[in-house]
Amino acid sequence: MLDQAIDDYIVYLTVEKGSSRNTIEAYSNDVRKLAQYLSDADIKRWSQVDSYHIRGYLAFMQQEDVTNPPRARNVAAMKSFFRFLYIEKYTDSNLAELLDGPRKEKVLPKYLTIEEVERLMAAPDVTTPNGCRDKAMLELLYASGLRVTELIT
C-alpha cells in the first residue's frame, strides 16, 4: 500500500506539477527512504503515520548525519508528498503542516586581504585592449560590490 501511493505521487509530480526529471528522481528517492523507514517500523498504510513517526524519521536522518541541503530537500519532498496524500485521501490529516525545514546555515562571505586586492588590480596588462577591459571590470567589481554574475550579465 505504501508503494502504490508513491507511484501515484510520481505520476502527480510528472503530469500535474510538471516537475523536472531531477526533482522527480530526488523526491522519489526521498519518499522511498521514508517508506522504507516506516515499513521497518511495521507501518502498512499511510493513514497509520503520525507525528511520532515523522519525528522519528527526522531524528533518524540526523543520526545518519544527513547534511542541511539534502535534509532540506528531503523535508520539502515529505511536505509535498504529505500534501498529496491528504488531497488524494490516503490520510485524514495533512502531516505536511508538522514539518519545518532545517534552517540554512549563514555563511560569511570570503574576502581578499589588502595585499591580494593590490596584486589582483596590478595583474591586467593595461597596454592591451583586453587588459584595459579586465582592469575596468576589476575596478567596477571592487568599487561597487557587484557579484561576478551581475557584472557578466
Side-chain angles (χ1 to χ4, degrees):
M1 184 71 162
L2 295 179
D3 288 338
Q4 180 59 49
I6 294 171
D7 293 340
D8 292 346
Y9 175 64
I10 293 169
V11 170
Y12 163 78
L13 287 176
T14 306
V15 176
E16 292 185 39
K17 296 270 291 188
S19 299
S20 72
R21 186 180 317 151
N22 288 342
T23 298
I24 293 167
E25 187 176 320
Y27 279 27
S28 172
N29 289 335
D30 292 341
V31 171
R32 288 190 193 285
K33 287 176 188 172
L34 170 65
Q36 182 60 53
Y37 172 84
L38 294 170
S39 181
D40 292 346
D42 205 30
I43 300 295
K44 305 278 189 246
R45 282 180 257 110
W46 289 106
S47 59
Q48 294 175 291
V49 178
D50 60 21
S51 62
Y52 295 107
H53 297 112
I54 302 304
R55 279 189 246 150
Y57 183 66
L58 294 173
F60 170 76
M61 280 195 313
Q62 193 163 9
Q63 285 176 342
E64 294 292 309
D65 203 26
V66 176
T67 58
N68 262 356
R71 192 175 328 144
R73 190 208 57 230
N74 198 302
V75 169
M78 288 174 26
K79 286 179 83 154
S80 171
F81 182 63
F82 285 128
R83 260 187 245 110
F84 166 80
L85 292 176
Y86 179 68
I87 290 167
E88 296 297 320
K89 306 287 188 235
Y90 283 97
T91 61
D92 294 334
S93 61
N94 184 358
L95 295 174
E97 295 170 351
L98 302 174
L99 295 169
D100 287 325
R103 299 207 188 276
K104 284 189 173 182
E105 294 177 17
K106 294 195 178 192
V107 180
L108 292 175
K110 294 185 172 117
Y111 58 90
L112 300 175
T113 64
I114 294 172
E115 293 81 22
E116 290 170 327
V117 170
E118 289 171 351
R119 279 199 320 259
L120 186 63
M121 293 299 184
D125 179 9
V126 292
T127 62
T128 66
N130 285 346
C132 288
R133 178 207 59 202
D134 293 347
K135 175 81 170 178
M137 290 170 67
L138 289 172
E139 290 283 348
L140 180 61
L141 283 171
Y142 184 69
S144 66
L146 284 174
R147 295 182 178 113
V148 174
T149 54
E150 294 170 332
L151 175 68
I152 291 170
T153 56

